[in-house]
Amino acid sequence: MTLHDWLPLLTLLTSLVTGLLIFFLAEQQVRLRTFLNMAGAIIKLALVAVMLWGTFHGQSYETRLPLLGQTDLVLRADALAMLFVGLSSLLWFLTTIYAIGYLEKSPHRSRFFGFFSICVTATVGIALAGNLLTFFVFYELLTLSTYPLVVHRGTPEALRAGGRYLVYTLSGAALLLLGVVWLYVLAGPIEFTAGGVLSHLEEESHRAALIAIFVLLVGGLGVKAAFVPLHGWLPSAMVAPAPVSALLHAVAVVKAGAFGIVRVVYDIYGIKLTESLGVTGPLAAVAAFSIIYGSLRALMQDDLKRRLAYSTVSQLSYITLGVAIVGPLSTVGGVVHLVHQGIMKITLFFCAGNLAETVGIHRISEMDGVAKRMPWTMTAFTIAAFGMIGLPPVAGFISKWYLGLGALQAGQGWGVGVLLMSTLLNAGYFLPILYAAWFKEPHAAWNEKGLKDWWESDWRLLLPTLATAVLSLTAGLLAGLPISPVGWVRMIVKQDYKLWTPFLGIP
Amino acid sequence: MTALTWIFDGLLTAAMVYLAWSLLSERDLFKAVVLFIAFGLLMALAWVRLRAPDIALAEAAISAGLSGVLLLDAVGAIRSPNPVPEDTSSDSG
Amino acid sequence: MNQPTWYALTGVILFSMGIHAFVIRTHLVRRILAFNIMGSGVFLLLVAIAHRIPGAAPDPVPHALVLTGIVVSVSFTAFGLVLLKKIYAKTGKTALIDPTESTSDQTN
Amino acid sequence: MLVSAGAVSTLVCVGGLLRRVWLTGPIRHTVGGWSSPLGIELYADGLSTALLAVTAVIMGTAGFYVVDAIRHKNGHTEGYDSDFFWPLWFFLWTTFNAVFLSRDVFNLYITLELLVLCAVPLLILAGSGAALIAGMRYLLVAMLGSMCYLLGVALLYAQYDTLSIPQLGALMVSSPGTAAAVVLMTLGLLLKTALFPLHFWLPSAHGNAPAAVSALLSGLVVKASFYLLVRLWFGAFAGIVSVGAGNFLGLLGSLAIIWGSLLALRQQRLKLVIAYSTVAQIGYFFLLFPLVIGGTQLCAPSDRVDWLTMAGSGAMYFMLSHALAKAAMFLAAGCIAHAAASDRLNEVIGIGRYLPVSVFAFALAGVSLMGLPPSGGFVGKWMMLKAAFATNQWWWAMVISLGGLLAAAYVFMVLKQTVVFRLVDIRFYEVPRGMQWAALLLALFSLLLGVSGQVPLDLLAVGSPFSPRAGQGWLP
Amino acid sequence: MDTILGDTLTPHGLAWLLLFGLPLTLAAAAAARPVRRMALPLAPWSMVPALAVAVWPLPAADYPWLLLGLRLGLDQTGRIFLSFTAFLWICSGIYAKSYLAEDPKRHRFFAFFLLTAAGNLGLTIAQDMIGFYLCFVLMTFAAYGLIIHQGSHAARHAGLIYVILAVFGEVLLVTAIIMIGLAGSGNVINPGQVVSQAVHRNLIMALLLMGFGIKAGAVPLHVWLPLAHPVAPTPASAVLSGAMIKAGLLGWLRFLPLGAAALPNWSALCLAAGLTAALYGVAVGLTEDEPKTILAYSSISQMGVMLSAIGIGLALPKSWPLVMATLLLYALHHSLAKGALFLAVGMTGAVHAGRFQRLFFRAGTLLPALAMAAAPLTSGALAKTAIKEVALLLPSFWRELLTWVLTLSALATALLMAHFLCFFWSRNETEHGHHQPAAGQWYSWTLLLIAVLSAAWLLTPMQLEPLRGKLLSPSWWWGSTWIVLLGGLLGWAQWRRTGRTGKMVLPAVPPGDILIPVATLLKQLHKVGYSAVQRVRGKDLMRQLLAWRTAVHLRPALLSILRGGEESISRWTAVGTLFFLLAMILLTIILS
């Protein structure tokens, strides 16, 4: 075993060990806790950077530990995995800074940061999982470690939301487990392999079973990916503290679901099989419905975080739509949205949290003129909102562009219709916020909670927000670079899926 | 086997069944226990009939004797005036 | 029908009477009695089947089993009676209330 | 001192046995040189060794818990300081070992009776009226069950002239007498195992015993009669029981899962929640029967060896993990009750702040009950699910899944109560660390079963009773 | 690495970026509190490099790393567009500095002003679709800040209408460019062949015409224009009408398959829509009494003329170079003249200034108005004549129609300009309280007037040079003069007839005309839709399905089954019965 074989495991351990250590810290040991948090996040970032560099140059990293019979616990850093790992470790780093500022002086911080780190461990585990069982193990770990975060405040409302979260996610996981087991029985150990691993099965004799398994798997994953009507947990989970919402909506939970669907379609079933089973159509329909429904519901919310939550329901399904519209371009659009949605949505939640913490704003109707008080926060919000609408040069546009191209390429023009409809609705629920914040006069003095400083708020709340906003902007602006998210995804599509066509735009 | 033995066995088993029945349906507990001791003695006879003298001895001594005494003691104890329950409130604990 | 079979039949009858009484009687002493009757029935059956070959010496194994069984059932009886006395002393009851009452907390 | 010496020596012996079984396969030992049927023959294969090991772990850890509880007793005594406690404790341990090592139907009967005669006195040590009544009911149930069982034994001996399980397995043929014996023995054991709808005695017994005893009752005692049932159905009765019979037990098991879980959700005392959870989990174990027996008919002959062994090992694995987890839960509940002087759910609100270790132990054990990875429960569930699909019995897979969800419901119901903020601070009694860590240790063991699943699985496979080669008759 | 960087590090690569980046940087500076004092004086000059590039063009540059491969460069179209656009922005910028000198929100205005300018200049030099679209979006959304700058109710209403239409426009456009991109040109603007041969050609055409039509104020998508122009600050109105709506025209020029294939149906549609707009705009404008609104409707009318020229191009691909030259000329003329007129509206205080200034002001307003009315020697004459020349190439029906309508439109425009001038001048005399225009306003306006006079003649596209000589000959004068005179007379007469109040016989059409009924309809639809959605709201399917808590805690039936059931199976008799029953079932199963 060389260091190469241990890197994925080490990446996992950086946050796991941090989390476990933090559990044992007393509430008052703020400095030590902060040090541990930051050290863990930075070491993880460094390890991820090394692996990214290696993956980019064609190296592979794999840790294999015995788990059960012929099935190992496999952690493998392929390009798709690194996309997700890179996203989550970077955003973890930022969210940790944010959370330290956000939770200053609130109780139970050791518990919070402990579970927080474990949550990230689970996410990285999901990303690096090299087979279906490993994926499932971390998928469940994620559910368990997020629950304490959702109910962190301990209010009746939080407990209710936590209960809902559990009902949905555990039911989803039960479906998923059924699908996973069935698939293992049918096809033996399932290692994620580009192009799918089920090609050795005779499609005809197993057709019904394969479709049933697909439905189970996607149904199970769809709960976390917040497909309508499996999304009910997401809007109520917004009672959690803002860093948790950021985790739920951008980094970990919903992403895990969407990422799982990508894995199922590309690395388990393979495009060919998925298409010939005839399941892509219904999947695309579900995704389209979620996109529209989520946007419509978002339009009706006054609570800022609720609106953002429904927006997630809608945006998440872009990823699935990209996958379900079978084609290289839509794949690029869908998969890259995994990253783009993440950085944009986390910006929005950071902003919402910052507004709530600094000036006590929770509802959109209270946001009149807030940009005068918090121009930087609202600038970040504006950038991210434009990205969500899909306007250039923010990252969201790149996703939309490829999704649209892909839908047309696959001869599914209705997909473009869905995108446009969604764009209009997104504009419908984001632009009024921007208008109110920038152009309306404030009603009364702000309910000041933040620092009156040179900064408009606690710098730990502001800096991560600005960083992610800049990321959203650069991810779109520098899309031509091979190391930009979309460049990376193009590489994945080219390498892993062998679906490269000359239409991908820039070589 | 002779008819006599048949008759004896028949009577013995019939008596056992009858005794069992009556002791199980007897209203007076004390009487029931006495009937049970009698039943035990009949059982001992039955063991002898089945050529199991070792069991017969054991039955007479242990089952009829020891059990009988214990039962009588217990019946005596619960017939005595009802003691005040010490602490009923802790029952649910 | 031979003699052992006759006794075996008696054993079955005793067992059935015992089990019936065990279930429908509530007084604990009666239950313990019923248990003993059941036991006697089973033992009769066991010894009866030891006479598998008519005339030959009976199989010693069932005898050993029955002896052990008698010891066990006496232990049960004795322990049951001790327990009964304790219950009586504590609660003044000689019959079992339904378990839902003793777990008691199933109200709304 | 004596207590630790006893515990340590037993642990060492079990360890040695485990090593030998692991290395050389099943061991047979005839006590005093007398062979069956009169003599006592001891037999250790992978399954029994695993059970011995789990018993040793639970008894050892719970013993440690008790020692600490005695040392720091508060007003809320649970009867650990009785003079009878330690003798009964070690007798119980002995009888467990005897049950798991016996291999003839009568020996098993005797050991099972002895088990009851040790368990009920331990149960009533709590001394409350409810405990006495629960103990009495348990005793009566044991009486009824054992008599039925014994009648079955008599009927079997009458027909086949042997008591040894392997010999019976080779000889048994279908006949009304045999069928009656099978039914009587099975029903007697079902009653003792508290399978729905015959579970009525269990919640009050397990809910009213001292916590450490509840841990043994729920963790091990019900397993003993279930173990017997497994040995019989896959050893002696293998030629008799049909797919329908297996499905019948599976059906009862499924009902138990639903019924037990729903009632657990309705309880307002922590220990009763856990007790009803045991009712539900027992149902889970019984899915073993349809999975293995049904599998013989429903899957292709070439696959049978693997899948049936997998189903059996999976259920056994689930049982082992449940034993550890359930014991951990009761010990944790004991800590909570010790601190709050009550185990009513509305009086332990927010206790997690004061007893983080105990609540964490409860949560970890809950993970295992729900069958979430990484836990022993997950490994067992995984294998059972796999077997269900492999033998084309997907409906049992549904039940298995549902069971996990229902378990999650009541586990989180408790966790929710204990982790919530409490506005008014209430003083709790100090809970000694040893008690808390004992619970956590067991929970961690249950988790460990999931992290390194292969070793115990290999152990279970040593002379597995579920392999079609081992059970001679039940292949069509 | 070189392939990724493209031309980024070459001098011209950096120059292009500077051209685009300078206004952007200054916009950011204008928004940032610490440096905004320094930013404002520099603001107008940040557009000078753009003008310089229009004069001395640079080779195109590629930036593969930016967006999906940005390409900046200038062709002939771009050059002319860039020159008048940049010029107008510079003039407006200087004007605005004085005009808004005391506005407390001037920094915000300049931030948006510069952002809009950056977008407008950028889209002129963008040679790839995504770059073009990016700049188009930037311009569109930044202009919102200009429109609602005053913050009045009317301004907010105009802003709302504008932004709704803008979002629709963006959606249509992005669809169109996605389709074009997929049809074969990737990201590079490559009209003509690609669109004309695309499978979805008609759809793409419709999307492009509507998408850019919103910005270009094509009827019936023009409704934002008469609302937005009057409420925006004057310099903003000038660029809105002078430069920004031309961006829509540029979009058509860049993306439609002009010169590639003859599309008679689309040509007919464009011609019809354009001619209708040309007349409709004037007709509605004549009923208005607000100078800026009148000018806005005039713009609608003029854009209609340009759309009909596009229609000509769609019919005659071979003559496209000529048609395009005409269009460029027309756009140049209209942009400068309309810009000058709008700037004049902001200088009404001049009538109270000295005599010379008043005279200069009057003459200065008359000049662009005459140009609009195509008086001889003006740029308008050149542009209109060119279009008439081009119209002669059409087949007979359209040729006749176009000639007639163009003549009619010229007359109408003259009438409208007379209406405007009478109105404007008279109002100046009656109204008081206007500030004297500052020096910067005079100075920038004068600069623009000079351009109105000269630019069309200096920058006449090569293809139209013969026309220039023709127009200078007096024989042509009469032909155009009588129309101007007639129109002017009619306008004056009308004004006199209504008693110098400008009140019309016809009731004034509210600005936004067809928007009013449409808005009412939409409001009703919204009400119905909203109540329908409200009804569905809260009925979350999954919540109903998975409400185990409800099931367990609230459903009394289930509760009583649970409790009663557990109680009844706990009685010993029940246990006995169950025991017996189970035994019998198992026995039956085993024996069967």
Side-chain angles (χ1 to χ4, degrees), chain E residues 119-186:
Chain E
N120 197 347
L121 299 176
L123 69 90
T124 319
I125 59 173
Q127 294 290 308
D128 69 298
M129 289 202 295
I130 292 182
F132 183 91
Y133 179 67
L134 161 67
C135 296
F136 199 81
V137 166
L138 178 63
M139 178 187 79
T140 304
F141 283 92
Y144 176 76
L146 302 178
I147 292 170
I148 67 156
H149 177 76
Q150 287 179 351
S152 64
H153 177 76
R156 291 211 309 269
H157 177 65
L160 180 67
I161 302 295
Y162 172 74
V163 88
I164 289 175
L165 281 169
V167 168
F168 268 102
E170 305 311 329
V171 166
L172 299 175
L173 286 183
V174 79
T175 319
I177 64 170
I178 285 175
M179 293 175 93
I180 297 172
L182 195 79
S185 75

Side-chain angles (χ1 to χ4, degrees), chain A residues 71 131-133 179-190, chain D residues 382 386:
Chain A
T71 311
N131 62 25
L132 202 47
L133 182 62
V180 170
V181 172
W182 197 350
L183 202 57
Y184 265 79
V185 168
L186 213 60
I190 309 286
Chain D
W382 171 263
K386 249 177 127 167

